[in-house]
Amino acid sequence: MGPMGDMTEPRWLTDEEQHVWRAYLHATTLLEDHLDRQLQRDAGMPHIYYGLLVQLSQAPRRRLRMTELARSAKITRSRLSHAIARLEKNGWVRRENCPSDKRGQFAQLTDEGAEVLRRNAPGHVAAVRQAMFDRLSADQVEQLGAIMRVMAEGLEPADADADLPWLR
């Protein structure tokens, strides 16, 4: 044993695992770019902003605490704050202070933001369907869903001190 502790050989990826890993990276990078370009072209916003509007549209009274919005969007609080500032500037979201917590804030979807979402949802869902679901069989969709849930569960431990984006 060396000064760094146990120096066992890393578990290198097999050739098959390496191919799957690279295919995953390739596909997810291209998918995110495809969705970003579609939303920039049609709605003047990146995919992450669209996702925030969707989260707010599905919340009671179209509003969420900023901490909850960061958790559901899986982004850091500073990235969320920047995104909400841009969405506020567009008139699509407004912030409100939380009466029960002086440091807490809510983000609320405005009527204008809801209209932007309503106008752009058909084009976005068409882009998602064309890029992903139209290419997969029903069995593949089911398998992909199961795989993604297992991966997400493993990456989102329940520990209070877990290093997750929305806790940073």
Side-chain angles (χ1 to χ4, degrees), residues 63-67 95-107:
R63 78 178 196 169
L64 286 171
R65 285 184 68 113
M66 291 283 283
T67 51
R95 276 188 248 213
E96 299 173 356
N97 289 327
C98 178
S100 62
D101 177 0
K102 296 296 181 223
R103 294 180 306 159
Q105 281 192 321
F106 287 100

Side-chain angles (χ1 to χ4, degrees), residues 37-52:
R37 282 184 298 115
Q38 179 270 317
L39 284 165
Q40 284 288 2
R41 180 187 69 237
D42 296 348
M45 75 176 99
H47 189 216
I48 187 78
Y49 290 15
Y50 182 87
L52 294 171

